[in-house]
Amino acid sequence: MLRLPSFKYLQPKTLKEALAMKADAGPDGMYVAGGTDLYPNMKRRHQEPRTVISLMAIPELKRLEGWNVGTCVTLTELSNLPTFQHSYPAVAHAAALVSTPLLRNMGTLGGNLCLDTRCNYYDQTYEWRKAIDFCMKKDGHICWVAPSSPRCWAVSSSDVAPVAVAIGAEFLLVGPQGERVIPAGRFYHNDGINYLTKQPDEILVEVRLPAPDGWDAVYHKLRRRGSFDFPVLGVAAWVRREGGRVTDARIVLGGVASWPQEIPEAAAALRDGELGDDAIAAAAAAAYRPAKPLDNTDFDLSWRKQMTRVYVKAALEELRQRRG
Amino acid sequence: MRPDSKAKIAFELNGEPVEVAFAPHKTLLEVLREDLALTGTKHGCELGECGTCTVLLDGAPVLSCLVLGLACERRRVKTVEGLAQGSRLHPLQEAFAALGAAQCGYCTPAFLLTADALLADNPSPNRDDIKQALSGNLCRCTGYIKIYEAVELAAARLRGEKAEPARESLYGRR
């Protein structure tokens, strides 16, 4: 039976209280929201905090004000909001594709954005990992996916993160030094271990979405089953259009790197033209080249890479259909 | 509180107030089974990958293996033990039994509760609504069809219709 290690559980009512508790707990303290990522990890002894600080009783984190969303809003709440289904269909859709309805009732927006990177050699029990010798992400020194690699290649597996980066959302972080607001794209490092630029004592408080005017976005997800599974590939595509012409675009891939991977070459292929077949094919080809999935998640490696082209094309065709 | 001392909380369990003391790092699943002796809620993967430990928390289906007992203070928990009224089975339980929607039965409590939450929210779900609502619960025996049919039958009966199992559901296609 997989049990949680013992720890002290705290339920602060304000952000200030939460920060003070984290300062008291030091490096052995961790924040938790829905717990659907942290608790399985704790059961497998990936993370072993002595103090767990729940953010779920802090009203500020559940706030929905205009286009600003508190990070403790659950994924179910986010995907069901009529305003979001209308104005941010890509965000609502990505949230609705995370895992299962049960886990979406528990998991939060912030939790999905901070999701631990995943790998076939990491997301295993302590005993499994010990049996083949631990990897560098936890307790060991080697990367079992690329044994000569100096870095960890665990995969960014969030569905909402690629969308947040693609549409240019901003994140409000609050820490002991005060507040800061950063673009979603600067929230992530391309490193399987140190995958967030957020400091451990900072709290991701709010996601600020851009006003829904003149742009559209879609999210497509590849996985083995229609439910449960993390993305093996996620494609978030964003375009700004004026009179049918694309004036700006962003393509961001999930599941192919340790961060949501922006593909500027694909966006460049779309700029200053119509969303025609040629532009879409050029963008899909441009996204195919830099996508470097590694053999650390489900499905065959080369097939996953080929699917990049197929999924980027499908995402852009959906955007074209939705126009006007 | 020291990590090794017991915590005591009060919450509503199947419509009745309970108080229970347990080690503070225990999950709701462990508290229900080990400290409250309610073993209707089943252990599955314990990692959020199967749905077998589903209970309703404030009416919403959640995985009790990933909810801390301490997070349930003053909240409303419903387990499979809370479905039947005395010796009378819940319409969902009757329909599951009549249609063979339970085979080995291990996932059944979770399916019953997830379906119960669906019907509370939407008394007339279509097949797609049911599929979507139950898409977080794994069943390795039935192939799901019997489960969908049972939920449809129970939904009709709960709406007050005199529904009977389809002949095809009971005897197969002739």
Side-chain angles (χ1 to χ4, degrees):
Chain A
M1 205 177 123
L2 290 170
R3 286 191 193 267
L4 288 166
S6 70
F7 56 88
K8 192 161 86 175
Y9 183 65
L10 303 173
Q11 301 182 77
K13 301 275 189 296
T14 64
L15 275 177
K16 206 173 143 196
E17 217 183 318
L19 292 171
M21 287 170 174
K22 172 66 179 136
D24 276 352
D28 284 339
M30 279 187 85
Y31 300 118
V32 68
T36 56
D37 188 32
L38 181 63
Y39 294 146
N41 280 1
M42 286 173 68
K43 288 183 179 189
R44 295 181 294 225
R45 304 300 188 264
H46 294 141
Q47 280 107 42
E48 298 167 276
R50 300 293 299 162
T51 305
V52 173
I53 305 160
S54 169
L55 302 176
M56 294 304 273
I58 302 174
E60 216 172 327
L61 299 179
K62 300 239 178 184
R63 219 164 43 188
L64 276 160
E65 264 181 23
W67 309 127
N68 299 339
V69 191
T71 46
C72 284
V73 169
T74 67
L75 294 164
T76 297
E77 288 164 341
L78 191 63
S79 56
N80 287 342
L81 279 174
T83 49
F84 268 66
Q85 288 172 347
H86 180 258
S87 301
Y88 298 100
V91 177
H93 185 57
L97 290 178
V98 175
S99 195
T100 73
L102 305 151
L103 284 155
R104 292 194 294 275
N105 286 341
M106 311 165 74
T108 63
L109 170 61
N112 194 252
L113 293 172
C114 295
L115 186 73
D116 195 6
T117 53
R118 300 182 61 83
C119 175
N120 287 346
Y121 295 93
Y122 171 71
D123 289 292
Q124 303 289 350
T125 60
Y126 178 84
E127 289 73 16
W128 191 102
R129 291 183 293 119
K130 188 179 174 193
I132 64 159
D133 199 6
F134 299 103
C135 78
M136 66 166 70
K137 186 158 160 70
K138 176 67 176 161
D139 299 327
H141 301 286
I142 194 170
C143 171
W144 284 113
V145 177
S148 60
S149 167
R151 60 160 282 199
C152 163
W153 292 92
V155 179
S156 169
S157 304
S158 166
D159 288 299
V160 185
V163 178
V165 174
I167 69 176
E170 290 183 326
F171 293 173
L172 169 65
L173 298 163
V174 174
Q177 323 300 335
E179 291 185 9
R180 62 188 180 113
V181 176
I182 57 166
R186 295 225 335 260
F187 189 66
Y188 301 98
H189 283 304
N190 193 11
D191 181 284
I193 295 170
N194 185 25
Y195 63 98
L196 293 182
T197 60
K198 181 181 96 63
Q199 297 304 306
D201 52 4
E202 283 182 307
I203 298 172
L204 175 57
V205 169
E206 188 173 88
V207 174
R208 298 180 173 174
L209 300 165
D213 57 350
W215 59 265
D216 198 2
V218 293
Y219 179 70
H220 283 217
K221 174 176 182 171
L222 172 65
R223 54 178 163 179
R224 189 179 288 270
R225 300 173 290 183
S227 186
F228 284 98
D229 293 338
F230 287 92
V232 166
L233 170 69
V235 174
W238 171 91
V239 289
R240 181 175 285 286
R241 272 176 293 202
E242 274 168 35
R245 287 184 79 77
V246 175
T247 57
D248 203 1
R250 261 192 299 273
I251 307 286
V252 181
L253 305 182
V256 298
S258 299
W259 65 353
Q261 177 83 48
E262 196 175 338
I263 312 283
E265 303 89 332
L270 298 173
R271 260 184 225 115
D272 299 322
E274 312 233 327
L275 266 182
D277 287 345
D278 291 349
I280 288 177
Y288 170 79
R289 260 172 262 125
K292 290 194 171 55
L294 282 158
D295 199 8
N296 55 358
T297 170
D298 196 7
F299 286 129
D300 174 75
L301 191 57
S302 64
W303 185 78
R304 276 166 52 207
K305 185 168 164 68
Q306 289 172 43
M307 282 300 111
T308 316
R309 198 196 302 263
V310 176
Y311 271 63
V312 170
K313 181 166 175 275
L316 292 170
E317 283 173 351
E318 192 198 336
L319 269 179
R320 174 169 63 187
Q321 266 184 358
R322 285 223 306 241
R323 136 203 230 171
Chain B
M1 188 195 309
R2 299 209 345 261
D4 50 357
S5 61
K6 279 199 170 186
K8 188 172 170 189
I9 64 159
F11 63 101
E12 188 191 305
L13 178 60
N14 296 328
E16 288 179 15
V18 292
E19 274 191 18
V20 57
F22 53 88
H25 60 276
K26 274 196 173 183
T27 62
L28 176 58
L29 173 66
E30 290 159 353
V31 174
L32 289 169
R33 292 182 56 93
E34 297 164 6
D35 300 288
L36 291 162
L38 291 179
T39 52
T41 310
K42 301 302 178 202
H43 270 289
C45 69
E46 298 169 327
L47 294 168
E49 294 168 9
C50 74
T52 303
C53 64
T54 302
V55 301
L56 304 189
L57 186 57
D58 295 330
V62 297
L63 302 175
S64 61
C65 74
L66 297 183
V67 175
L68 282 192
L70 281 180
C72 298
E73 174 106 64
R74 291 187 297 278
R75 298 180 73 178
R76 212 159 28 90
V77 177
K78 184 172 181 180
T79 67
V80 70
E81 288 89 349
L83 278 177
Q85 299 287 318
S87 61
R88 220 180 70 234
L89 290 180
H90 188 280
L92 274 164
Q93 291 171 309
E94 276 182 348
F96 268 59
L99 288 179
Q103 288 184 22
C104 89
Y106 203 77
C107 68
T108 308
F111 272 99
L112 289 169
L113 288 164
T114 310
D116 185 41
L118 167 70
L119 298 184
D121 200 39
N122 176 4
S124 306
N126 62 30
R127 182 62 69 93
D128 279 346
D129 297 332
I130 297 171
K131 275 190 185 175
Q132 172 60 27
L134 300 182
S135 65
N137 295 92
L138 290 183
C139 170
R140 299 293 82 177
C141 303
T142 62
Y144 302 100
I145 304 294
K146 297 289 176 194
I147 293 175
Y148 301 149
E149 288 174 349
V151 175
E152 284 164 352
L153 179 65
R157 287 175 173 169
L158 281 163
R159 290 192 302 265
E161 296 164 22
K162 280 210 176 335
E164 289 304 321
R167 203 183 147 71
E168 187 183 308
S169 302
L170 292 177
Y171 304 110
R173 206 166 282 172
R174 293 287 167 95

